[in-house]
Amino acid sequence: MRDQRWTDPGQQPADQELDTSLRPRRLDDFVGQQKVKENLRVFIAAARARGEVLDHVLLHGPPGLGKTTLAQILAHEMGLEIRLTSGPAFSNGAELIAVLSEQADRRAIFIDEIHRLSRVIEEHLYPAMEDWRVELIIDKGPNARHFNLQLEPFTLIGATTRAGLITPALRSRFGIVCHLDFYPAEELAVIVRRSAGILGVTLAEDGALEIARRSRGTPRAANRLLRRVRDFAQVDGQLTVDRAAADAALNRLGVDALGLEPLDRRYLETMARHFAGGPVGVQNLAVSLGEECDTLEDVVEPYLIQSGLMMRTPRGRELTARGWRHLGLQPPAGGAAAAGAAQGELL
Ligand code: ADP
């Protein structure tokens, strides 16, 4: 069995309750993402002043950064009921039409992982998003009859971790497109302090910052680590979680000073020791590590790249000077890392 990844940004079954209890309900309580919030405030105020529904919103960015939370806040601020669903939940067009045509006044429909809707199903969304109607086709071939079903106006909020997989036709139908980015440690520390307040954990300022620094810029990971750190502190009889307590607990969980876990370190080590720092193709790395390419691309690489430890180049993956140093190794002179050194230094 594979080790549990404490900083995995995706939702694990055990997170569901935690995610719900820690979700901010109002835009003012949503920490960070300043530009996105400012813009949304304007769009909400304008739509309300006109007495119209909010334009359709597409939220994109890595998992665990607050897309579902923001969708719920948007609905709340607009005074809308929200229907939560996800792309993989639909196996045919009729199921989507059933959701779109549910009798409900003033509502938002949230489709998580919207890039996973098949093209055929997605096409039902176009007229629904543009003119509040869906087209029903009854019977087949020469007997086919088309009916238009009028819908109540609604706001579609789509979320995706893979903006590149959204078809241009769908993307162009969203009036508002927002990108959520990883959070700096200072903002994550605010989130951790807020969560500690809700969970009843006494947390020192430096304890919050230590958890924040090791949470890979991701609120879901920060909240999960906070909960585990709380367990260690409690068992050790530590009433206040300070930096030393957080550090000890995170080390025991195998989360290092940058927030890397065993698989991240194995990834970097394999690149250094088996492939001389690259360039190496992701398939080769996946075989060496016994992992799926998708896991490496979706879970491992984004944060390693963001931290300046490695790069994706047209020739393959390359370790930067910073990556070599994080492993306690010297970058080879004139090797692949030399080109990436500048990037590594900057981050
Ligand atoms: P996503 O839909 O992007 O995977 P979620 O909206 O489910 O992420 O967020 C995961 C958890 O992180 C939520 O429970 C929420 O408590 C917390 N969270 C995310 N963004 C923020 C934020 N900006 N401020 C406070 N908490 C946040």
Side-chain angles (χ1 to χ4, degrees), residues 18-20 22-24 29-31 62-69 183 191 194 219-220 223:
L18 186 72
D19 273 2
T20 308
L22 297 180
R23 239 175 215 136
D29 298 330
F30 189 84
V31 178
L65 296 194
K67 296 181 294 299
T68 309
T69 307
Y183 293 70
I191 295 175
R194 177 182 173 276
R220 178 176 288 127
N223 286 339

Side-chain angles (χ1 to χ4, degrees), residues 26-340:
R26 298 173 43 239
L27 207 49
D28 287 339
D29 298 330
F30 189 84
V31 178
Q33 312 289 349
Q34 219 49 42
K35 271 244 123 16
V36 169
K37 271 194 310 196
E38 276 166 28
N39 289 342
L40 288 176
R41 256 199 201 99
V42 173
F43 302 143
I44 291 170
R48 288 187 82 121
R50 290 194 301 264
E52 290 175 1
V53 288
L54 185 67
D55 219 335
H56 304 300
V57 183
L58 179 65
L59 303 172
H60 63 97
L65 296 194
K67 296 181 294 299
T68 309
T69 307
L70 208 47
Q72 295 187 349
I73 290 174
L74 281 177
H76 183 251
E77 301 266 342
M78 285 297 298
L80 306 174
E81 292 289 322
I82 186 161
R83 171 74 149 89
L84 301 173
T85 176
S86 76
F90 299 104
S91 52
N92 58 54
E95 288 173 0
L96 178 64
I97 290 173
V99 168
L100 294 172
S101 59
E102 276 165 5
Q103 283 300 316
D105 225 7
R106 301 189 51 71
R107 67 180 181 139
I109 300 173
F110 175 67
I111 305 186
D112 200 6
E113 298 188 72
I114 196 164
H115 62 273
R116 291 181 61 187
L117 280 179
S118 76
R119 292 281 167 95
V120 179
I121 300 178
E122 181 184 305
E123 282 179 13
H124 292 286
L125 272 179
Y126 305 160
M129 291 172 79
E130 276 173 11
D131 324 310
W132 323 119
R133 70 182 169 81
V134 282
E135 220 172 73
L136 298 175
I137 305 170
I138 295 178
D139 225 334
K140 286 189 189 136
N143 294 329
R145 281 159 293 150
H146 293 244
F147 295 94
N148 272 321
L149 183 69
Q150 201 59 39
L151 307 170
E152 291 298 330
F154 65 92
T155 297
L156 179 72
I157 308 176
T160 181
T161 48
R162 297 282 198 95
L165 297 184
I166 302 251
T167 60
L170 180 58
R171 191 185 169 100
S172 67
R173 286 169 169 89
F174 286 98
I176 303 170
V177 177
C178 303
H179 174 67
L180 299 191
D181 226 327
F182 290 113
Y183 293 70
E186 298 70 36
E187 284 176 6
L188 270 189
V190 177
I191 295 175
V192 171
R193 278 204 302 275
R194 177 182 173 276
S195 302
I198 297 170
L199 296 172
V201 183
T202 313
L203 190 63
E205 195 76 17
D206 60 357
L209 202 55
E210 190 60 25
I211 296 174
R213 274 204 208 101
R214 291 159 81 159
S215 300
R216 308 169 75 107
T218 307
R220 178 176 288 127
N223 286 339
R224 196 185 295 134
L225 289 181
L226 169 67
R227 209 156 62 145
R228 294 287 75 91
V229 168
R230 172 182 70 169
D231 291 345
F232 282 108
Q234 192 179 327
V235 170
D236 293 346
Q238 191 99 27
L239 296 180
T240 301
V241 176
D242 57 10
R243 179 160 192 264
D247 178 57
L250 293 170
N251 288 341
R252 278 155 84 178
L253 293 174
V255 177
D256 78 9
L258 282 184
L260 305 195
E261 297 204 52
L263 176 58
D264 307 307
R265 287 192 294 272
R266 276 206 299 129
Y267 178 103
L268 295 176
E269 268 160 21
T270 302
M271 227 175 173
R273 298 190 197 281
H274 296 195
F275 299 102
V280 49
V282 69
Q283 287 89 352
N284 281 338
L285 280 166
V287 171
S288 292
L289 289 162
E291 293 288 339
E292 301 283 329
C293 282
D294 278 357
T295 308
L296 299 186
E297 286 183 301
D298 293 350
V299 179
V300 176
E301 291 182 346
Y303 185 70
L304 296 181
I305 293 171
Q306 214 239 346
S307 306
L309 297 168
M310 59 156 289
M311 304 184 290
R312 270 187 203 150
T313 73
R315 294 184 305 152
R317 275 60 175 165
E318 295 182 24
L319 207 55
T320 62
R322 190 169 194 226
W324 283 98
R325 283 202 297 270
H326 188 70
L327 296 172
L329 301 170
Q330 272 303 317

